[in-house]
């Protein structure tokens, strides 16, 4: 299975792809945060899939079509109900983290993110 790596300064998060993802060698972006979610814009324009959803399980890596962003929820957001992880609107799930995404809690808005595809 193909893998993708997200580098947030000294934090690294690897994930296994479960669907088609970014083409090419990778990208750099600027982090944004929204509650316990890190998201960042990517140069991808993909439609919302019919199985897209707003409530995710921490560790699921999502593409947010409405914002053209990758979204990584690791806890509650401002619109969560109870303990759920609710993203702003339905997202396409394309990868699953291989480690605990709660490690992203220290990531701050404006921080640099580097995304690379890893060899299988």
């Amino acid at each position: 299975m193909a893998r993708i790596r997200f580098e947030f300064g000294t934090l690294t998060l690897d994930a296994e792809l479960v669907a088609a993802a970014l083409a090419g060698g990778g990208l750099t972006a600027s982090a944004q945060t929204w509650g316990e979610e890190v998201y960042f814009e990517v140069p991808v324009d993909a439609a919302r899939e019919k199985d897209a959803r707003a409530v995710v399980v921490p560790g699921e890596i999502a593409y947010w079509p409405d914002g053209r962003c990758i979204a990584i929820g690791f806890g509650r957001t401002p619109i969560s109900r109870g303990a759920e992880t609710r993203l702003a609107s339905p997202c396409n799930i394309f990868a699953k983290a291989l480690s605990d995404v709660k490690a992203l809690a220290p990531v701050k808005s404006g921080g640099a993110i580097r995304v690379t595809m890893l060899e299988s």
Side-chain angles (χ1 to χ4, degrees):
M1 181 66 63
R3 292 185 178 183
I4 189 168
R5 174 168 288 161
F6 303 93
E7 296 175 72
F8 303 86
T10 59
L11 289 169
T12 300
L13 177 70
D14 288 352
E16 267 190 354
L17 297 176
V18 295
L22 304 171
L27 61 94
T28 57
S30 182
Q32 300 297 318
T33 59
W34 189 54
E36 294 178 307
E37 174 190 342
V38 174
Y39 67 98
F40 53 95
E41 193 170 340
V42 293
V44 174
D45 190 14
R48 180 180 294 162
E49 297 171 354
K50 65 180 178 178
D51 62 346
R53 53 194 160 83
V55 176
V56 298
V57 175
E60 293 179 322
I61 314 295
Y63 172 74
W64 179 35
D66 295 350
R68 293 182 54 194
C69 293
I70 289 177
I72 307 171
F74 55 89
R76 299 191 74 234
T77 67
I79 61 170
S80 290
R81 298 176 191 144
E84 72 183 8
T85 300
R86 181 178 293 268
L87 306 178
S89 58
C91 296
N92 304 333
I93 307 303
F94 73 91
K96 292 195 181 203
L98 297 174
S99 59
D100 188 359
V101 291
K102 290 196 182 289
L104 300 180
V107 173
K108 303 287 184 219
S109 286
I113 300 172
R114 189 175 118 151
V115 181
T116 53
M117 298 301 294
L118 302 176
E119 296 294 321
S120 301

